[in-house]
Amino acid sequence: MQTGRICLAVATRDRPKMLRQALLSMCALDDVAKAGVDILVVENAALSSLDGTIEEFAGRRVGTSITLLHEPRLGIVHARNAALDHALANGYSHLAFIDDDEVVAPDWLSELHKAQTERRLDLIGGPVHAFVEEKPCGVLAAALWRGYQARVMRVERAALDRHRRDSDGLIMIATNNWMVDLEFCRKTGLRFDPRYNLSGGEDSGFYHGARRLGARTGWTPRAVVSEEIPPERLSVVYQFNRAFDQSVVSFHRKFETRPRLKWLIVPLSILYKTLAGGALLLALPLTLGSSLVGAIRALGFASGRLAGLFGVQSRHYETTTGR
């Protein structure tokens, strides 16, 4: 067993430029106290095309190997479980994930590992900031970007509040800033659920599964990653569809064991979100457009809940955005 060694994994598909930026940031990571680091790239595509990229980064970080693992079966769960299997089979003590459209701060992994070790947590995460490569063009894109930034800040403030009140175990740990103590996985056999393979939400499923199995989970504000938001995500259609997909996924997770209850709760949720979306649209002149993202996402959420009632499933991961 590679005691005290972290497998830092990133799953990728059709985003070679973003992946390269992610690898550049990973190779610039600070050393982690009492732990070595290896990088694993899981290419989720029918044909592998990243050998040249891996060769380019080999040896850039002293003491760190970079491995390419090809997972030809399409789906985010296939990719994540391939990384989990690799880390378990090779005796790593921890598995960390970021997304291929992110970059990490130099102290990200050391802060994540430090907080996990000091608090003896099984699963830990941290904040995700957002950035754009170029300033959005046009009034609509600029308004969406302001709204997106405001939403990211609200999410982080809520997490900080829970952290200060020692209730950060209730924060859902997403795989865009995520680390698990693999001893917990070895003891429990917990894996990513195949039901979320194309829909997304596999990290939420893992988090809730871990909590049911008694995992100690937490969040640290000091371990920061930053997500690049490409222009195609700053559109009304994308923001609506993303909220729709997330709503559908959470609907099926919450009501799969309570099918009758959904007909009591969900109609009220749909009504509330529809009214909230309408109110945010009316507030656009007062917010200088920054409430647009909230309005779109509220309406997308309401539509997703309605679709969930009639058995619709999300297929978010059939396509990718970015470069």
Side-chain angles (χ1 to χ4, degrees), residues 101-103 105 126-132 145 148-149 152-153 155-157 160 176-177 219-229:
D101 56 359
E102 294 178 326
V103 294
V128 178
H129 296 172
F131 71 96
V132 290
W145 173 231
Y148 192 90
Q149 287 179 299
V152 168
M153 292 173 64
V155 169
E156 185 169 349
R157 283 197 300 268
L160 274 169
N176 54 6
N177 188 349
W219 185 90
T220 174
R222 300 178 66 87
V224 178
V225 305
S226 297
E227 176 189 17
E228 181 179 347
I229 309 301

Side-chain angles (χ1 to χ4, degrees), residues 122-142:
D122 299 303
L123 181 64
I124 189 169
V128 178
H129 296 172
F131 71 96
V132 290
E133 188 177 44
E134 296 181 0
K135 185 177 179 179
C137 296
V139 174
L140 180 59

